[in-house]
Amino acid sequence: MITAIFAAGDVEIPLAYALQALVPAAMEGVLREVIVIDRGSSDGTADVADAAGCEVVKGSEMLEDDLRAAAERARSDWLLFLSPVSVLESGWHSDALEFIDRSREAGTARSCAAVFRLGRGRSSPRSRIAEGLASFRTKVLAAPYEEQGLLIPRALYRSLGGRRKLTAMAEVDLTRRIGRRHLTMLGKHA
């Protein structure tokens, strides 16, 4: 059902936590596979991904090309692009499945995408402000942070041409092309 894709470089420990959060979804059959693009790591990033059963792909100089290639290689109809420093909140896959089911029932499964809420894990005023700003960026500007992930139908990713090479704001270019009306913020945090 879902293929998770990480582009990772020298993030051995954060990647281990990010992958651990995916285990329940894999056990329930929601997460079909995980592809990790190793961006030239000098630590144990590739070893962590391999030990977790991920498909490890050697990255090139062009991240955008690597992401498009991973999307083509994926066996699932839905892609979940994640930052290797993001840990999804427990139960995230239930939210993702509900979103997918709703979009299929509404006939929008080829034109919509979703992101997770940004969660800082602390209850300090500074953390709450960051979370509020992320919510504003997502809802009003269609500009979520990379740490919020992106759940997108593979067909939509293909039709939009994937992630483009841009010098600034490359991570939000894709969500802006999806459009604010077609971007949903899920209830769980990343």
Side-chain angles (χ1 to χ4, degrees), residues 148-159:
Q148 291 176 254
L150 177 65
L151 178 63
I152 184 170
R154 188 166 66 171
L156 178 58
Y157 186 79
R158 278 183 184 155
S159 72

Side-chain angles (χ1 to χ4, degrees), residues 131-146 148 169 171-172 176 180 183 185:
E131 292 168 0
L133 287 173
S135 181
F136 174 81
R137 275 181 53 138
T138 302
K139 291 178 181 176
V140 177
L141 304 175
Y145 291 102
E146 183 179 9
Q148 291 176 254
M169 302 284 284
E171 67 276 358
V172 300
R176 288 204 172 153
R180 184 176 68 199
L183 189 63
M185 189 161 18

Side-chain angles (χ1 to χ4, degrees), residues 58-80:
K58 187 177 188 306
S60 68
E61 290 184 21
M62 298 296 297
L63 174 60
E64 298 78 14
D65 293 342
D66 294 340
L67 292 171
R68 280 192 296 275
E72 287 302 315
R73 147 183 263 134
R75 295 178 295 170
S76 303
D77 291 334
W78 286 83
L79 307 173
L80 177 58

Side-chain angles (χ1 to χ4, degrees), residues 63-132:
L63 174 60
E64 298 78 14
D65 293 342
D66 294 340
L67 292 171
R68 280 192 296 275
E72 287 302 315
R73 147 183 263 134
R75 295 178 295 170
S76 303
D77 291 334
W78 286 83
L79 307 173
L80 177 58
F81 291 95
L82 289 169
S83 166
V85 299
S86 296
V87 176
L88 297 179
E89 185 178 9
S90 178
W92 69 268
H93 55 290
S94 296
D95 271 10
L97 274 179
E98 286 178 28
F99 169 75
I100 291 169
D101 289 343
R102 278 193 320 267
S103 65
R104 285 182 177 155
E105 289 171 11
T108 60
R110 292 183 165 260
S111 63
C112 64
V115 296
F116 294 94
R117 295 181 183 282
L118 183 67
R120 292 294 185 202
R122 300 183 275 307
S123 60
S124 70
R126 204 175 238 184
S127 296
R128 296 297 155 245
I129 290 169
E131 292 168 0

